[in-house]
């Protein structure tokens, strides 16, 4: 197939190596850009998470201030109630001490309303009136002296009541303002947290793109090497008339395929994954520490951790077929070794919800494994 492509490119006057070099340069440049975008998005996501954490901390401080304000408001209202009780008692005591004056005033009022002719008819009434006035004149100064301190206390209590009511109103206003501030901080924290999630998803998408571009660059390098090897062969075969026509060579068959793990299918081929990217393989939820096996025979070309994908193992099955297995906790193979179908290549992580993803690719393009699983 490479010979045919190289011959066609030669007939058209196009250097296939130049084309592949251009593609390689573009793929590497895009991979670097995607990685840079992923790094920038991760940094921005970290900033948003930091902002969300700060908002949560500020909210906690405001919550503590609200609790203190609520306690102060309750105490102020209790003081108002105590002052009101004290004021009522002082008013009652003042009323008791002023009772004699009230009775005297009532008596004088009654005498003042009696007709003058009645006083002449009842001679004793005039002497009684004089006597009452004398008693009243001597009693009033005494009552004023006795109640002077109580009147002062009463005035102070009224002032204290007004001050306590004013303080309670001020504290209540502060409490309401703190409640509003807390609501604003909670909303700010939610916005930052949401932005962090979105940026993290975008960063994962860019990381996924960087991996894909890196694999594309590797495939281009392989094709360039193959083109280089075929140049001499093309030169040797050019003078020959060529073999007689025959049926075209059969299409390279796909490897017999098996699932690398047993688990619950979370994302199917072509579905939108949790990070918002269209899935190019199958993702399984598995038990912690589950053994992950090679889906088909081949050679290990990559086996190490990569960004947020856990440990990644890439198996080259030959004829342009390769498998990408991600989400491993650790790898049991290394680059350059050959594996059989079903041979353990690692284990799932020991965390609470491990997920393992397998992607089958041909010439770098994702292939649905549904029809190949045997």
């Amino acid at each position: 197939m490479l010979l045919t492509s190289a011959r066609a490119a030669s007939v058209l006057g196009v250097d296939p190596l130049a084309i592949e070099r251009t593609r390689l340069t573009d793929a590497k440049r895009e991979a670097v850009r995607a990685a840079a975008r992923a790094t920038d998005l991760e940094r921005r996501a970290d900033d948003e998470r930091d902002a969300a954490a700060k908002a949560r901390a500020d909210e906690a401080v405001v919550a503590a201030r609200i609790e203190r304000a609520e306690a102060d408001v309750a105490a102020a209202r209790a003081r108002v109630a105590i002052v009101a009780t004290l004021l009522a008692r002082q008013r009652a005591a003042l009323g008791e001490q002023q009772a004699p004056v009230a009775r005297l005033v009532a008596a004088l009022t009654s005498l003042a309303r009696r007709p003058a002719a009645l006083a002449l008819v009842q001679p004793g009434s005039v002497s009684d009136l004089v006597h009452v006035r004398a008693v009243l004149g001597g009693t009033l100064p005494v009552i004023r002296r006795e109640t002077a301190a109580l009147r002062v206390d009463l005035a102070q209590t009224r002032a204290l009541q007004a001050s306590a009511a004013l303080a309670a109103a001020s504290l209540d206003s502060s409490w309401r303002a703190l409640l509003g501030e807390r609501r604003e901080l909670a909303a700010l924290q939610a916005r930052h947290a949401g932005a962090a999630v979105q940026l993290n998803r975008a960063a994962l998408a860019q990381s996924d793109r960087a991996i894909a571009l890196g694999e594309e660059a590797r495939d281009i390098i392989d094709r360039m090497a193959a083109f280089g090897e075929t140049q001499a062969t093309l030169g040797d075969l050019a003078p020959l008339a060529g073999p007689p026509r025959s049926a075209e060579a059969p299409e390279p068959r796909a490897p017999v395929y098996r699932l690398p793990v047993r688990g619950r299918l979370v994302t199917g081929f072509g579905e939108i994954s949790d990070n918002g990217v269209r899935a190019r393989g199958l993702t399984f939820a598995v038990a912690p520490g589950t053994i992950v096996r090679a889906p088909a025979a081949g050679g290990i070309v990559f086996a190490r951790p990569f960004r947020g994908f856990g440990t990644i193992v890439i198996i080259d099955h030959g004829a342009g077929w390769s498998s990408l297995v991600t989400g491993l906790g650790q790898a049991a193979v290394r680059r350059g070794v050959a594996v059989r179908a079903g041979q353990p290549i690692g284990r799932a992580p020991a965390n609470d919800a491990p997920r393992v993803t397998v992607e089958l690719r041909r010439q770098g393009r994702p292939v649905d494994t549904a029809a190949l699983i045997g």
Side-chain angles (χ1 to χ4, degrees):
M1 186 174 180
L2 287 174
L3 289 173
T4 304
S5 300
R7 188 184 299 276
S10 177
V11 171
L12 295 174
V14 179
D15 184 2
L17 287 178
I19 295 175
E20 294 300 332
R21 288 193 188 97
T22 301
R23 291 177 179 173
L24 177 61
T25 301
D26 293 341
K28 286 184 175 180
R29 182 170 57 249
E30 287 300 319
V32 170
R33 289 176 179 174
R37 285 193 294 269
T39 301
D40 180 64
L41 289 169
E42 288 174 353
R43 179 188 58 76
R44 290 169 58 189
D46 290 339
D47 292 342
E48 291 293 341
R49 280 192 289 269
D50 292 342
K54 183 178 183 302
R56 282 196 301 271
D58 292 342
E59 183 186 0
V61 172
V62 172
R65 290 167 58 191
I66 288 174
E67 291 179 359
R68 187 178 65 184
E70 289 174 346
D72 291 342
V73 169
R77 289 173 178 169
R79 285 195 296 271
V80 171
I82 292 172
V83 171
T85 302
L86 179 61
L87 184 61
R89 291 178 180 176
Q90 289 176 339
R91 284 174 177 170
L94 184 62
E96 291 177 0
Q97 294 185 18
Q98 289 179 337
V101 177
R103 288 194 294 271
L104 287 173
V105 171
L108 288 175
T109 302
S110 176
L111 288 173
R113 290 177 178 175
R114 295 178 64 185
L118 183 60
L120 294 175
V121 175
Q122 297 178 351
S125 299
V126 176
S127 60
D128 290 341
L129 179 59
V130 173
H131 178 70
V132 168
R133 287 180 177 176
V135 172
L136 183 60
T139 304
L140 283 176
V142 175
I143 292 176
R144 289 193 184 97
R145 287 195 303 271
E146 293 294 333
T147 60
L150 186 58
R151 286 196 299 272
V152 171
D153 291 343
L154 191 61
Q156 291 177 348
T157 302
R158 288 195 183 98
L160 182 61
Q161 184 185 37
S163 176
L166 182 62
S170 177
L171 287 170
D172 187 70
S173 176
S174 299
W175 172 70
R176 294 181 185 279
L178 287 171
L179 283 179
E181 185 177 351
R182 184 181 186 181
R183 284 193 292 268
E184 292 177 0
L185 286 170
L188 180 63
Q189 185 267 334
R191 286 197 298 271
H192 283 302
V197 171
Q198 294 297 328
L199 288 170
N200 192 52
R201 288 179 178 175
L204 288 175
Q206 290 299 324
S207 296
D208 196 24
R209 175 173 170 76
I211 291 176
L213 289 169
E215 293 178 359
E216 181 180 347
R218 179 176 59 82
D219 292 339
I220 291 173
I221 292 173
D222 292 341
R223 288 200 299 271
M224 289 174 63
F227 275 124
E229 293 173 357
T230 58
Q231 293 304 309
T233 304
L234 285 173
D236 294 339
L237 295 178
L240 302 179
R245 290 183 175 272
S246 60
E248 293 185 0
E251 189 76 10
R253 296 184 61 187
V256 177
Y257 216 69
R258 57 172 292 169
L259 295 177
V261 291
R262 290 185 178 181
R264 177 175 58 86
L265 181 64
V266 177
T267 306
F269 183 84
E271 297 179 1
I272 302 299
S273 62
D274 292 342
N275 58 14
V277 179
R278 188 172 297 280
R280 295 181 291 184
L282 305 177
T283 299
F284 297 90
V286 299
T290 296
I291 295 177
V292 182
R293 302 179 183 276
I300 304 298
V301 296
F302 187 94
R304 62 183 178 85
F306 184 82
R307 290 184 178 273
F309 294 90
T311 296
I312 294 178
V313 174
I314 300 177
I315 306 173
D316 185 358
H317 305 298
W321 294 88
S322 63
S323 291
L324 175 72
V325 185
T326 68
L328 280 69
Q330 59 182 2
V333 292
R334 65 180 185 277
R335 181 180 179 182
V337 302
V339 294
R340 304 180 308 277
Q343 179 178 335
I345 59 174
R347 287 183 177 273
N351 55 29
D352 294 335
R355 294 188 177 187
V356 175
T357 299
V358 57
E359 298 179 11
L360 176 63
R361 299 183 181 183
R362 184 184 180 192
Q363 303 297 342
R365 295 181 178 276
V367 177
D368 189 358
T369 60
L372 304 177
I373 295 175

